[in-house]
Amino acid sequence: VDHQSGFDHKVKWAPQSSTHTLGDPYTLRLAAADTTGRIIVWDVNQAAQRAEFADSSKSVVDMAWIGLQSGCRDLLAVIHASSTLAVWNAESGVCCWKKSVGDTLLSMSFDPFDCARLALRSTECLLLISDFSAMKPPPSP
């Protein structure tokens, strides 16, 4: 992937809608994070950059596309190196919210059947969130 200032170290393909029409055509999107913490969302079909964003210069530990929530399929959950969980609008590059977590986060995984359920793996434990919302950060434990 071009236009990155560091080496790409995380890439995630966006899930696709099961229906496609002339008004909502099939798009193939890819989020790529480089070692400097910059995330670029690509429209692979058009070979064009859709958005670019970063949380200062904090590197990206993990990323996951959020399933259809609140009618939006353009949301990307990101764990930054500062153990911050953030939700970004991958179309506009706007951060919806950020939440610092006390533990060092290593990875995350959404339940493929229920995008309100999220597992966060840390160095010490597994954090399970059963009411994840892209609109507001989870409450502190």
Side-chain angles (χ1 to χ4, degrees):
V1 175
D2 262 344
H3 305 290
Q4 300 282 86
S5 58
F7 296 105
D8 290 329
H9 77 106
K10 285 283 180 191
V11 293
K12 295 289 180 173
W13 291 100
Q16 292 301 308
S17 172
S18 59
T19 58
H20 304 286
T21 64
L22 289 175
D24 185 19
Y26 176 79
T27 57
L28 189 57
R29 293 178 302 154
L30 176 72
D34 68 18
T35 53
T36 67
R38 188 168 60 156
I39 300 169
I40 296 180
V41 177
W42 295 93
D43 180 330
V44 178
N45 292 340
Q46 301 295 319
Q49 182 177 321
R50 303 265 305 247
E52 179 180 331
F53 47 91
D55 185 9
S56 303
S57 60
K58 299 173 187 169
S59 64
V60 172
V61 175
D62 201 8
M63 302 184 293
W65 289 92
I66 301 171
L68 189 62
Q69 232 186 47
S70 301
C72 185
R73 63 178 186 193
D74 298 322
L75 300 175
L76 187 66
V78 178
I79 297 174
H80 294 281
S82 59
S83 288
T84 301
L85 176 64
V87 171
W88 294 87
N89 182 314
E91 192 66 25
S92 66
V94 172
C95 183
C96 300
W97 57 258
K98 286 191 279 188
K99 172 105 176 161
S100 290
V101 180
D103 295 329
T104 301
L105 297 177
L106 303 173
S107 65
M108 71 177 131
S109 182
F110 282 96
D111 181 332
F113 304 106
D114 184 356
C115 61
R117 295 169 31 156
L118 172 66
L120 298 167
R121 186 174 62 96
S122 77
T123 55
E124 301 294 321
C125 64
L126 184 65
L127 304 168
L128 301 174
I129 300 171
S130 60
D131 60 349
F132 180 85
S133 171
M135 299 302 117
K136 62 180 176 31
S140 296

